[in-house]
Amino acid sequence: MTRRYTEEDQEHYERPRRHTRPRTKDRPSYDDAVDGTVVTVDRGRFTLAVDGVRVMAMKSRPLGRKGVVVGDRVRVVGDVSGAEGSLARIVEVADRATVLRRTADDDDPVERIVVANADQLVVVCALADPEPRPRLIDRALVAAYDAGMAPLLCLTKSDLADPESLLSTYRSLGVPWVVTHKGGNLDELRERLSDRTSVLVGHSGVGKSTLVNALVPEANREVGRVNAVTGRGRHTSTSAWMLELPGGGWIVDTPGIRSFGLAHVQPEHLIEAFPDLDEMTEDCPRGCTHGADEPECGLDEAIAEGQADPERVESFRRLLAARYDATAL
Ligand code: ZN
């Protein structure tokens, strides 16, 4: 073959006789594709960040049923000008470094990917009004550890209550934390968010939207601009929205997420987030969940021999049990 594929050729090519031949061999090479990041997904339409420009795109046929989610790094061809009415095509999705999942609820084992390639999960929790709900924090932490993401507690409304009693619950797990209040200084939080991709979760009333707007002053304008194209509101169908921080890095707001189903989380995977504890379970009986009711768990032996911090083990087991709690976030 002496010439490159043109756009028309690709369109023609991508209309395959679906079940009669493997497609991977003859796929066009997309030499002209550019890199993009998926910032939000709405009814099969994807908003991408391509070189600082917001570009609308759809999946190309060769991707088939492969899911494309917020945070995905993609290759894209076609019109990437971002001009009104333009539509580019996603032709490749890169392997994901991390995957934050949730099950719709604990009785429904269908996994949904919330965000790909994020490295930090920020659990936003008010210290008062509404009262903190540690079990919900626990569930978000389980999701973070399961995803291989670093957790961060962001405790808001510190002008209303002291953080100490809540923090004591998480100290033995080594969860880092920052404290904020309305109108307060966000420098410490900004530093923790800088140059990484952080997903913010929190139930209503904790001040998450206030934080997002303070961190990304352009947030409302950007969401409005994209919605002008898709004709959707921010709180309707999207469950995640990626926003660029002025100082470098990204945050992912999750306005559509009201629950964190954990049915997909495997205990043997959860303990891998705690290598020191994981090491102590090497001689556990086959199938041991490392929970408090396990008769011969290595964690109990380690406590008895003074090798494990009982509080840390207890906190880990609390997380393990949180998988079975009510799902509301
Ligand atoms: Zn065990």
Side-chain angles (χ1 to χ4, degrees), residues 281 284 288 290 297-298:
T281 63
C284 281
C288 182
H290 319 309
C297 182

Side-chain angles (χ1 to χ4, degrees), residues 34 46 146 151 155 158 174 203 215 219 261 263 272 301 313:
V34 296
F46 304 86
D146 182 63
L155 306 175
S158 64
H203 57 99
L215 293 166
E272 286 168 14
E301 251 169 69
V313 171

Side-chain angles (χ1 to χ4, degrees), residues 271 280-285 287-291 294 296-300 317:
I271 200 165
M280 297 163 187
T281 63
E282 271 168 16
D283 298 326
C284 281
C288 182
T289 64
H290 319 309
E294 292 285 356
E296 292 173 71
C297 182
L299 294 179
D300 293 311
R317 285 176 164 167

Side-chain angles (χ1 to χ4, degrees), residues 10-135:
Q10 284 178 14
E11 284 300 337
H12 179 73
Y13 201 92
E14 288 164 14
R15 219 162 286 132
R17 287 162 292 162
R18 244 168 232 197
H19 304 290
T20 56
R21 65 173 184 201
R23 276 186 262 163
T24 44
K25 264 188 193 165
D26 312 316
R27 205 178 278 169
S29 62
Y30 298 124
D31 288 341
D32 53 347
V34 296
D35 294 322
T37 302
V38 178
V39 297
T40 196
V41 179
D42 187 9
R43 291 185 300 178
R45 289 293 161 95
F46 304 86
T47 304
L48 314 179
V50 179
D51 275 339
V53 176
R54 294 297 173 266
V55 172
M56 294 295 293
M58 57 184 285
K59 277 199 298 188
S60 69
R61 284 168 191 271
L63 288 180
R65 294 173 65 83
K66 186 177 174 65
V68 178
V69 302
V70 171
D72 265 331
R73 315 247 192 273
V74 296
R75 302 271 291 160
V76 58
V77 298
D79 188 345
V80 293
S81 66
E84 206 179 324
S86 65
L87 192 61
R89 285 180 302 120
I90 297 168
V91 292
E92 273 178 49
V93 182
D95 289 342
R96 294 162 179 156
T98 65
V99 175
L100 177 63
R101 304 166 195 275
R102 62 195 270 261
T103 22
D105 62 58
D106 287 344
D107 300 326
D108 172 7
V110 177
E111 287 177 28
R112 289 148 219 266
I113 298 176
V114 183
V115 180
N117 300 317
D119 36 34
Q120 183 167 246
L121 185 73
V122 183
V123 187
V124 185
C125 174
L127 288 163
D129 188 28
E131 284 297 303
R133 299 160 75 181
R135 304 302 273 180

Side-chain angles (χ1 to χ4, degrees), residues 59-266:
K59 277 199 298 188
S60 69
R61 284 168 191 271
L63 288 180
R65 294 173 65 83
K66 186 177 174 65
V68 178
V69 302
V70 171
D72 265 331
R73 315 247 192 273
V74 296
R75 302 271 291 160
V76 58
V77 298
D79 188 345
V80 293
S81 66
E84 206 179 324
S86 65
L87 192 61
R89 285 180 302 120
I90 297 168
V91 292
E92 273 178 49
V93 182
D95 289 342
R96 294 162 179 156
T98 65
V99 175
L100 177 63
R101 304 166 195 275
R102 62 195 270 261
T103 22
D105 62 58
D106 287 344
D107 300 326
D108 172 7
V110 177
E111 287 177 28
R112 289 148 219 266
I113 298 176
V114 183
V115 180
N117 300 317
D119 36 34
Q120 183 167 246
L121 185 73
V122 183
V123 187
V124 185
C125 174
L127 288 163
D129 188 28
E131 284 297 303
R133 299 160 75 181
R135 304 302 273 180
L136 301 185
I137 299 175
D138 288 349
R139 292 180 61 85
L141 291 180
V142 170
Y145 290 127
D146 182 63
M149 294 166 67
L152 174 67
L153 283 181
C154 179
L155 306 175
T156 62
K157 308 192 188 184
S158 64
D159 48 331
L160 301 182
D162 187 276
E164 183 48 39
S165 68
L166 187 66
L167 283 174
S168 63
T169 315
Y170 296 98
R171 200 156 275 139
S172 65
L173 287 173
V175 182
W177 49 273
V178 291
V179 166
T180 69
H181 61 87
K182 203 168 182 176
N185 188 318
L186 290 177
D187 285 353
E188 198 187 344
L189 179 59
R190 283 201 179 91
E191 197 172 309
R192 293 247 179 212
L193 300 177
S194 161
D195 294 327
R196 47 204 314 199
T197 299
S198 305
V199 181
L200 273 63
V201 297
H203 57 99
S204 61
V206 299
K208 181 165 65 69
S209 303
T210 310
L211 269 185
V212 169
N213 289 322
L215 293 166
V216 186
E218 299 281 297
N220 279 333
R221 200 188 311 170
E222 169 159 344
V223 170
R225 197 174 58 213
V226 170
N227 282 343
V229 179
T230 61
R232 304 289 285 192
R234 182 180 185 178
H235 296 273
T236 52
S237 61
T238 56
S239 56
W241 200 300
M242 203 162 161
L243 296 158
E244 201 160 6
L245 292 163
W250 295 81
I251 55 170
V252 182
D253 191 13
T254 55
I257 293 183
R258 299 272 175 264
S259 65
F260 240 112
L262 299 172
H264 60 280
V265 175
Q266 301 298 318

